[in-house]
Amino acid sequence: MNLKAHGMWLLTLSIMSTPALAGHWSYEGDTAPEHWGELESAYKTCQTGMNQSPINIDNTLKAHLSPLKTHYTEGPVKVLNNGHTIQAEEKADTQDAITLDNQRWTLQQFHFHAPSENTIHGKKYDMEMHLVHKNAGGEITVVAVMFDKGAANEELDKIWKPMPQQVDQQATLTTHMDLNNLLPKVKTYWRFSGSLTTPPCSEGVTWLVMQHPLTLSAAQLETLTRTLHHHNNRPVQPLHGRLVVE
């Protein structure tokens, strides 16, 4: 085989190998969000779902929403760089939880998207944090907090300083983190039904988006974006008649 033919063979092999990475998804190129539903059958909902997240919160309906009660006392135990986001994980028997709809929802993990995934009247925030909770039946509620560039957030530094720089690395958190400092003092929120914002894009997720944003410094934002090497926000999805209540 001559060099030219050998080169063409390698190119063909590399193209043919792509489907072998079934399940691999990203925010760029052939595995970007617009292609997620095509990557494997388990991700079909990313393409066909009618209640997908994130959304643009614009027109809302006033309602008597129950106040969000948070019970965050322990904090995460480790931080992981999974290549898609920076994720802080709770211990298996954590007491960190929220009360919503007269149910207890235990915090599983929280992670970050830059820029924000949900938008407010078309505005993207510099960063969005997702606190992912499950109830006893395995249902999911996500509490989302927006961040704009401004004053540094000292609580974030407890994750930022040990943040793993390489994919699939993790670090143990040795400093206690007060998650209450990552929530606005006034916990009013928008509520809607949606999905996970990453494959498999499962629906039936309750979303609570905090109405009051927090701040992080330009340096803190740069640390996150430099570590991830790319934006990690899924574009907003059609409402398909869904209501957002507040």
Side-chain angles (χ1 to χ4, degrees):
M1 185 184 295
N2 62 38
L3 284 176
K4 183 177 180 180
H6 182 67
M8 289 300 294
W9 177 79
L10 287 175
L11 177 61
T12 303
L13 181 64
S14 68
I15 293 170
M16 289 173 62
S17 298
T18 303
L21 295 172
H24 171 72
W25 57 271
S26 73
Y27 292 95
E28 301 172 305
D30 293 340
T31 53
E34 61 267 30
H35 301 298
W36 288 349
E38 307 158 8
L39 296 178
E40 65 171 76
S41 58
Y43 299 169
K44 202 73 175 172
T45 305
C46 301
Q47 194 172 41
T48 61
M50 299 292 280
N51 294 284
Q52 289 290 289
S53 296
I55 64 168
N56 176 44
I57 296 172
D58 196 8
N59 298 316
T60 59
L61 184 69
K62 298 285 186 182
H64 294 289
L65 294 176
S66 58
L68 174 63
K69 297 177 182 177
T70 57
H71 317 284
Y72 294 148
T73 57
E74 295 184 332
V77 292
K78 62 183 178 182
V79 59
L80 167 71
N81 179 344
N82 63 19
H84 303 303
T85 188
I86 297 300
Q87 182 166 300
E89 299 189 351
E90 298 277 307
K91 62 182 184 180
D93 60 347
T94 182
Q95 295 304 301
D96 287 341
I98 61 172
T99 301
L100 183 72
D101 300 339
N102 297 314
Q103 296 182 64
R104 182 179 179 85
W105 304 73
T106 302
L107 181 62
Q108 309 294 305
Q109 48 94 348
F110 59 95
H111 59 267
F112 303 89
H113 296 271
S116 73
E117 297 200 298
N118 293 291
T119 59
I120 316 297
H121 306 303
K123 171 183 166 65
K124 276 184 187 174
Y125 287 81
D126 292 310
M127 186 179 79
E128 181 174 353
M129 176 180 69
H130 292 164
L131 298 125
V132 181
H133 306 76
K134 278 187 182 178
N135 67 4
E139 296 173 306
I140 296 175
T141 288
V142 178
V143 175
V145 182
M146 300 297 186
F147 289 78
D148 259 334
K149 274 186 288 191
N153 186 304
E154 292 182 7
E155 211 62 41
L156 276 182
D157 278 339
K158 295 176 182 178
I159 291 178
W160 259 228
K161 286 179 179 174
M163 182 188 295
Q165 297 302 301
Q166 303 298 321
V167 175
D168 292 334
Q169 284 187 347
Q170 64 180 35
T172 301
L173 296 177
T174 55
T175 306
H176 172 70
M177 193 172 189
D178 187 351
L179 291 180
N180 300 289
N181 293 331
L182 292 180
L183 289 173
K185 300 298 182 192
V186 179
K187 297 185 182 70
T188 52
Y189 58 87
W190 293 287
R191 177 173 178 163
F192 62 93
S193 178
S195 72
L196 302 178
T197 66
T198 58
C201 307
S202 310
E203 296 187 341
V205 176
T206 299
W207 279 84
L208 309 182
V209 177
M210 298 290 102
Q211 294 185 0
H212 298 279
L214 300 181
T215 62
L216 81 166
S217 68
Q220 286 177 317
L221 180 62
E222 198 271 335
T223 296
L224 177 65
T225 55
R226 185 184 69 245
T227 301
L228 292 176
H229 306 296
H230 55 76
H231 288 169
N232 67 335
N233 61 310
R234 186 189 192 192
V236 295
Q237 303 296 303
L239 280 175
H240 292 302
R242 279 178 288 171
L243 294 175
V244 179
V245 295
E246 63 173 312

